[in-house]
Amino acid sequence: MDNLTVTSSPHFRSNNSTSKIMLYVILALLPTTVVGCVYFGINAVLVVLTGVVFAVLSEYIYEKIMKQPITVGDLSAAVTGLLLALNLPSTTPLWMVALASAISIIVVKQLFGGIGCNFANPALVGRIVITLCFTSETSKFIEPFVNANVDATAGATLLNSIAANEKLPELWRVFLGLHAGCIGEVCSLALIVGGVFLVVTRVINPAIPLSYILTTYLFTTALGYDGLYGILSGGLLLGAIFMATDYVTSPLTVKGKIIFGIGCGVITTVIRIFGSNAEGVSYAIVFMNVLTPLIDNLTAKKSPFAKPNKKEAKAK
Amino acid sequence: MALHLKTVNVRHHKLTAEKETVIMPYSCNLVIPMLQHIGRPCVPTVKVGDSVLKGQIIGEATEFMSAPIHASTSGKVVSVRDMLCPSGVYTPHIEIAPDKEDKSIEPLSFKIDSLSDLVDATRQLGMVGLGGAGFPTSIKLNPKNIDEVDTLIVNATECEPFITSDYREMLENAEDIKEGIELLKKLMNIKNAYIGIEDNKPKAIEIMKKLSGDIFEVKTLKSRYPQGAEKVIIYHLTGRKVLEGQLPADVGVVVINVTSLGSLVRGLKTGLPLTHKRVTVSGDCVKEPQNVYAPIGTPIDKIIEFCGGVVNEPEKLIMGGPMMGVTMCHGSMPIIKNTNAVLLLSKKLADTPEPTACIRCSKCVSACPFNLMPTVFEHAYHDGDLEALEKHKVMLCMECGCCSFVCPAKRPLVQTNRLAKAALREKK
């Protein structure tokens, strides 16, 4: 009994950890990653690898230069890189993927103070930056199982088709992801499997995905379009399950999360239907990210054991 | 509002549950602190060289919020000096060298006809809350609004891992508990009496159910932490909310720990004050974990020695449970009235990992039984924003530890809450 440690209670801790959470997110993303790589071939594999490797490398090099503790072990950079890659078409030039990874990690995450301090989702901002800078190179969507190098004609994504009032593929094809789109967004089935896994393992609270998806469905239907296609197309599931649920940039309370999800759904639908851009998920989530502190303030929990304030006391 | 408050699931490690309490003999000098309760310390009434008898008052309770302290055995006073007591303040300690005769004082005789008789006797016996808080029992039994009190809750949840001293009380002294409930019901004119037991103690539930008759009702509670926290058990058993600044009596409830009640009844019967305490000595670094009935003032290391000594490499010595207990830096601290456990845990069980950055996962927010927002407190405290701390009610925090327990970034949230509360108190 010589070297006793003295600490503040509690002395028991759960076995949860940041890296375990991130690992679960990666596991949940595996189905859609594998499907994307099978559908879109070697190019997709390269985009995913580039995204992950450059994200981790950016974090490592930045922290090394800034003489900060190296945090790549918490796997959050890997998650950012993976999400970024899954949000790009397989035809994206690899150097652009690398650039987007570096922007995500260095500009959006590290410059704001590293993990836990960024105000917007790093992967989404990285994606938005390169799609704005290199619009044509990052929007060559191809159909699954098409050799991009031989047959480079870009396919129309579902959103393009909906916007142009073209004939849509059957729903089951959409559900399995047999249509043009970003690597990780096409296969709804794989995304839902990942989402269920995250909810069951309690990594995410289902409030955001459910409110986001439901709002999009209802709003799209109300505006006279097919709501089901609305939620199964254009990265909505990927965004709702994996991007909007990013802890750092979403509200703390369940009430706040629901408001956040509804906001995302409304903005996504408005951009899709009234905007000139076919896709709205990224912008909607980043916009709501910025509103998160405000939502947190408005939805702060009230303890049932707090003294009722004068107004409430009167109501009683 | 939800019918149940948020709780967490902890691993229980109740290693000593089926082991009968062992009486520890007097083997060493006893060091008895003058502060063994919430409130004001006692004033020593003996000096070096005095002979004392078991049960003799050695610390007088001169103020209201206090309880007298008695010698745990007969012997000679060898020193009276200021030392750090387990609750973290400097207070006089009286060291007694036992004469091995263990001679008691003439038993006190009580005639309990009214509540004020009971309150007097309780005070004379030196009774305090033995579940851990150490609130003077005589004050607890004498609320100002006694007419409004209609419910008695006997707290036998024992939600902290490892500890089994209350469980053994029910198995070994069930009759005392029953008598105690009867007595309090009669004298305090209380309608409902419940005993709340967690469902991981089926034997105790069975025993108490057999005795209950129409005197009290056994309420089985889910084994979740912190089921035994006063506000939590009151809410779960009666649906009443003890608000900020209120006492349980304000909502018509008196809560008493099961061992406190049993000890009180034994004290009334024998006329001997509180001199011993059942302590769960457990953990993966104690050779023979068991429940020890030890004289108050016995140093922890002697108790651990009595339990076969130390095995493995201990990382933490904890007085109390792993969720709310206090770590000790050495084993010479004595056990006091409200010590319910002495735990010696290895790094494997009681590691405190380096904290990493908060990722705003909101797990602390959804784990807090009182719906507080620990991560918001943490940011506000580090920003020096006392206003926000006050607005978000950090003072309500009972330091149960659920937030730190669930935090994946291993942030010391409870510790920050304690600092924040201290900062607010200082401001006032």
Side-chain angles (χ1 to χ4, degrees):
Chain A
M1 290 213 298
D2 290 332
N3 288 312
L4 293 172
T5 308
V6 175
T7 60
S8 179
S9 64
H11 312 291
F12 265 14
R13 299 299 179 97
S14 66
N15 55 9
N16 206 355
S17 70
T18 305
S19 49
K20 189 173 159 190
I21 289 172
M22 296 299 166
L23 183 67
Y24 276 33
V25 175
I26 294 175
L27 287 178
L29 282 167
L30 272 187
T32 190
T33 309
V34 170
V35 171
C37 289
V38 170
Y39 284 7
F40 299 111
I42 185 75
N43 282 346
V45 178
L46 290 176
V47 169
V48 168
L49 284 179
T50 311
V52 174
V53 168
F54 274 83
V56 174
L57 221 75
S58 305
E59 179 149 301
Y60 181 83
I61 293 170
Y62 178 89
E63 288 174 338
K64 202 86 195 164
I65 293 174
M66 302 305 282
K67 298 195 170 61
Q68 287 172 358
I70 306 297
T71 58
V72 293
D74 66 23
L75 299 180
S76 74
V79 169
T80 302
L82 181 57
L83 279 172
L84 172 72
L86 296 179
N87 270 290
L88 292 169
S90 59
T91 51
T92 315
L94 294 183
W95 69 268
M96 286 182 197
V97 181
L99 178 69
S101 272
I103 291 170
S104 296
I105 294 295
I106 295 173
V107 180
V108 190
K109 184 179 169 191
Q110 291 297 343
L111 288 186
F112 283 90
I115 184 165
C117 299
N118 46 291
F119 71 91
N121 188 313
L124 282 180
V125 177
R127 182 204 185 203
I128 289 172
V129 169
I130 66 156
T131 49
L132 288 181
C133 293
F134 315 104
T135 310
S136 59
E137 288 89 339
T138 53
S139 50
K140 280 192 197 127
F141 299 100
I142 55 163
E143 294 284 338
F145 307 115
V146 169
N147 188 334
N149 298 326
V150 180
D151 181 8
T153 46
T157 67
L158 276 178
L159 288 172
N160 299 135
S161 309
I162 295 172
N165 248 338
E166 285 167 16
K167 193 178 164 301
L168 297 167
E170 296 100 328
L171 214 51
W172 68 268
R173 290 183 67 91
V174 176
F175 195 65
L176 292 180
L178 295 165
H179 59 89
C182 296
I183 299 168
E185 73 179 22
V186 288
C187 182
S188 306
L189 178 64
L191 288 165
I192 291 169
V193 168
V196 169
F197 173 76
L198 288 184
V199 171
V200 169
T201 53
R202 294 187 172 219
V203 172
I204 61 167
N205 183 306
I208 292 178
L210 290 183
S211 59
Y212 191 172
I213 294 166
L214 199 66
T215 306
T216 309
Y217 176 80
L218 294 175
F219 200 26
T220 309
T221 312
L223 289 171
Y225 294 84
D226 191 329
L228 215 48
Y229 279 97
I231 59 174
L232 294 181
S233 62
L236 189 109
L237 289 179
L238 180 63
I241 297 169
F242 293 98
M243 317 286 276
T245 53
D246 171 35
Y247 291 149
V248 181
T249 54
S250 62
L252 291 169
T253 63
V254 174
K255 214 195 283 172
K257 288 181 206 288
I258 292 172
I259 295 174
F260 182 91
I262 293 174
C264 285
V266 169
I267 299 171
T268 302
T269 316
V270 167
I271 294 177
R272 278 178 172 183
I273 292 173
F274 301 109
S276 56
N277 206 328
E279 176 56 297
V281 172
S282 307
Y283 295 100
I285 296 175
V286 171
F287 185 82
M288 291 309 289
N289 286 165
V290 180
L291 286 186
T292 293
L294 187 67
I295 298 173
D296 268 341
N297 261 338
L298 293 175
T299 58
K301 276 192 172 180
K302 192 158 186 292
S303 171
F305 296 97
K307 251 185 275 176
N309 56 35
K310 278 176 197 154
K311 225 165 133 197
E312 287 163 342
K314 250 187 199 167
K316 271 182 187 171
Chain B
M1 231 214 47
L3 270 163
H4 285 275
L5 302 172
K6 302 276 175 46
T7 47
V8 297
N9 202 3
V10 293
R11 291 189 57 193
H12 274 287
H13 303 275
K14 302 271 193 194
L15 314 173
T16 50
E18 298 318 316
K19 291 189 185 166
E20 202 150 327
T21 310
V22 190
I23 296 172
M24 182 168 169
Y26 301 93
S27 59
C28 58
N29 285 6
L30 304 177
V31 183
I32 304 175
M34 289 295 103
L35 182 60
Q36 303 188 25
H37 45 260
I38 289 182
R40 307 294 303 157
C42 292
V43 179
T45 56
V46 291
K47 53 185 191 305
V48 177
D50 284 1
S51 290
V52 292
L53 293 174
K54 180 179 180 180
Q56 178 184 334
I57 290 188
I58 54 171
E60 197 182 357
T62 51
E63 287 179 64
F64 174 68
M65 192 65 171
S66 192
I69 286 161
H70 306 84
S72 310
T73 184
S74 60
K76 258 202 166 51
V77 176
V78 291
S79 81
V80 179
R81 61 200 149 118
D82 275 4
M83 291 199 309
L84 195 63
C85 81
S87 50
V89 294
Y90 277 90
T91 186
H93 284 56
I94 294 171
E95 188 176 352
I96 296 173
D99 58 14
K100 315 264 161 155
E101 284 170 34
D102 199 24
K103 251 174 73 185
S104 295
I105 51 164
E106 203 53 36
L108 308 165
S109 61
F110 300 115
K111 196 169 160 289
I112 311 282
D113 291 326
S114 66
L115 183 61
S116 64
D117 293 342
L118 178 68
V119 170
D120 275 353
T122 309
R123 176 111 171 168
Q124 284 183 51
L125 291 169
M127 291 295 164
V128 302
L130 303 181
F135 190 88
T137 310
S138 60
I139 301 174
K140 177 170 268 183
L141 297 182
N142 196 18
K144 286 194 193 87
N145 59 339
I146 181 77
D147 299 337
E148 289 163 38
V149 175
D150 61 357
T151 304
L152 170 72
I153 294 177
V154 179
N155 191 346
T157 46
E158 204 155 57
C159 55
E160 278 260 18
F162 284 104
I163 309 180
T164 58
S165 57
D166 285 348
Y167 175 68
R168 293 310 307 179
E169 178 74 19
M170 286 185 278
L171 260 53
E172 294 167 17
N173 303 315
E175 284 289 343
D176 291 344
I177 300 163
K178 179 188 157 192
E179 278 174 44
I181 297 176
E182 253 180 320
L183 184 71
L184 293 192
K185 262 183 89 175
K186 194 177 94 194
L187 296 179
M188 298 178 82
N189 197 16
I190 286 177
K191 210 165 62 221
N192 320 304
Y194 308 121
I195 179 164
I197 310 175
E198 281 196 353
D199 60 9
N200 61 349
K201 305 173 189 67
K203 251 194 208 170
I205 294 173
E206 202 193 311
I207 289 176
M208 295 319 296
K209 271 194 174 155
K210 263 188 207 148
L211 285 177
S212 61
D214 52 3
I215 302 163
F216 61 93
E217 203 179 315
V218 178
K219 294 270 192 183
T220 308
L221 292 156
K222 249 201 235 153
S223 174
R224 301 278 294 179
Y225 180 85
Q227 191 72 267
E230 199 165 61
K231 288 186 188 190
V232 177
I233 191 172
I234 291 175
Y235 185 70
H236 284 172
L237 291 189
T238 68
R240 298 179 198 173
K241 289 186 265 182
V242 182
L243 300 182
E244 220 179 338
Q246 281 187 325
L247 287 171
D250 293 327
V251 297
V253 182
V254 165
V255 184
I256 187 163
N257 164 269
V258 68
T259 304
S260 309
L261 187 60
S263 305
L264 172 61
V265 169
R266 283 193 292 284
L268 293 173
K269 276 190 203 160
T270 59
L272 291 176
L274 184 65
T275 56
H276 282 64
K277 179 69 209 291
R278 183 188 298 104
V279 176
T280 300
V281 185
S282 191
D284 56 348
C285 296
V286 175
K287 191 153 178 233
E288 286 166 40
Q290 54 191 342
N291 283 295
V292 178
Y293 194 63
I296 287 159
T298 312
I300 291 172
D301 43 14
K302 298 289 186 232
I303 296 182
I304 290 173
E305 222 169 84
F306 178 69
C307 296
V310 180
V311 287
N312 302 330
E313 203 169 309
E315 166 82 1
K316 285 183 189 173
L317 171 62
I318 304 168
M319 211 170 198
M323 295 302 283
M324 283 190 79
V326 182
T327 44
M328 303 282 135
C329 54
H330 54 73
S332 60
M333 282 285 183
I335 63 135
I336 58 175
K337 289 177 186 174
N338 60 353
T339 306
N340 46 16
V342 166
L343 305 179
L344 205 51
L345 303 181
S346 69
K347 202 175 172 77
K348 207 179 115 212
L349 279 178
D351 192 21
T352 298
E354 275 299 307
T356 54
C358 168
I359 53 171
R360 282 176 48 90
C361 67
S362 77
K363 293 206 186 303
C364 56
V365 176
S366 34
C368 179
F370 290 173
N371 269 13
L372 304 174
M373 302 201 289
T375 176
V376 174
F377 294 147
E378 196 185 27
H379 282 106
Y381 177 74
H382 290 302
D383 293 348
D385 188 351
L386 296 184
E387 218 168 282
L389 289 173
E390 202 156 7
K391 186 181 140 212
H392 293 295
K393 304 285 178 197
V394 73
M395 286 317 245
L396 273 174
C397 170
M398 58 172 163
E399 303 169 16
C400 65
C402 291
C403 50
S404 298
F405 176 78
V406 298
C407 181
K410 315 292 173 195
R411 307 222 36 99
L413 296 165
V414 177
Q415 191 174 359
T416 311
N417 287 357
R418 289 193 178 111
L419 292 169
K421 284 160 77 177
L424 274 185
R425 268 189 222 111
E426 206 163 289
K427 197 189 96 183
K428 274 172 187 163

